[in-house]
Amino acid sequence: QFADLSDAANRNHEALRLAKQEMNESRRQIQSLTCEVDGLKGVVRAGERSGGCKRQTPPRPFAAPSSPAERGAAAADAGDGG
């Protein structure tokens, strides 16, 4: 019985270690993406200050296609030449 409990404790310890590892990787990704967003905000602000090209319509918010059909349609839209 002690061996069973010891094995369970070891499995739980390993699962916890992996969860912490995944959490740290997610934090790194969030930090990287936050820095990228902040940099892009700076680029947008610089473009607005310099009187860059003005859009007639606001940009569409980005939403990743969720189904294979939507991904195919998005790929077709991307290839239409603008």
Side-chain angles (χ1 to χ4, degrees), residues 12 21 34 52 58 61 75:
N12 288 336
Q21 195 173 13
T34 300

Side-chain angles (χ1 to χ4, degrees), residues 4-59:
D4 290 342
L5 291 174
S6 181
D7 288 344
N10 287 334
R11 284 191 304 272
N12 288 336
H13 179 74
E14 180 64 14
L16 179 62
R17 187 187 67 76
L18 290 173
K20 285 181 178 180
Q21 195 173 13
E22 288 178 22
M23 186 175 63
N24 286 334
E25 178 59 30
S26 294
R27 281 185 179 147
R28 281 190 286 276
Q29 288 177 342
I30 289 169
Q31 184 177 15
S32 174
L33 292 170
T34 300
C35 289
E36 187 176 343
V37 166
D38 289 345
L40 291 172
K41 284 180 182 177
V43 169
V44 169
R45 277 190 232 108
E48 289 171 350
R49 282 194 298 266
S50 69
C53 68
K54 308 239 186 284
R55 292 180 141 251
Q56 296 297 327
T57 58

